[in-house]
Amino acid sequence: MLKLKKILNVTVWKRDSRFSRGNAFKLPFAAETFDIVINEAMLTMFPDVSKQKALAEYYRVLKPGGKLLTHDVSLIKEDLELVAKLGQTINGHVTQLTRRKWEELFKQQGFLVTSQVGPMSLMDPRGTIRDEGVLGALKIIKNGLKRENRPQFQAMYRLFKENSFNYITGVSTKLEENDQWNF
């Protein structure tokens, strides 16, 4: 929580803060409603067109100066074969991007982007314990080893063991009306 406050330059959370879940493509909120929108490990699961649609919707509901916080999978280098393997493994139309492409995508929607990348610890027992805690890690393993989940869980484990992925976190700011891009 302290790291998040520091990143957002927030000293105190407001008592009237609220958290909601919604359809990323059609949020049921008026324009310029929120100071912060959080998107956790979801954008990578969509084709690029859907990523753009979700980002446009986040931009719409953020107040000027508002922050979009994201965390997703990032490719270390472009590798279409690896993207296809991951899509097959999780049975989805995933499109991972490199850091440069992620940042371009956010900038196309009008955001000022600050990002950080590092080695992905998904499917690594030590990383999962660090990220989720012991009980959270045990829950993930228990669910992954259920008969109906086991083949996919094992395939994901092998894919992440045999290949390197990065995570990418982003703090993307909706610019104030009078702010200009400086290129």
Side-chain angles (χ1 to χ4, degrees), residues 25 44 54 94 123 138 162:
F25 304 118
T44 205
V94 299
M123 306 304 289
L138 289 173
E162 295 166 0

Side-chain angles (χ1 to χ4, degrees), residues 45-90:
M45 305 305 271
F46 298 127
D48 290 345
V49 171
S50 297
K51 285 178 178 60
Q52 292 168 348
K53 188 174 179 182
L55 289 174
E57 189 65 357
Y58 298 156
Y59 192 89
R60 181 186 71 78
V61 300
L62 277 170
K63 295 176 184 176
K67 311 284 187 195
L68 170 60
L69 307 178
T70 57
H71 173 250
D72 252 298
V73 177
S74 179
L75 294 174
I76 295 170
K77 62 181 177 154
E78 289 192 45
D79 185 339
L80 296 178
E81 186 179 323
L82 184 56
V83 170
K85 282 181 188 176
L86 185 56
Q88 290 169 349
T89 301
I90 66 168

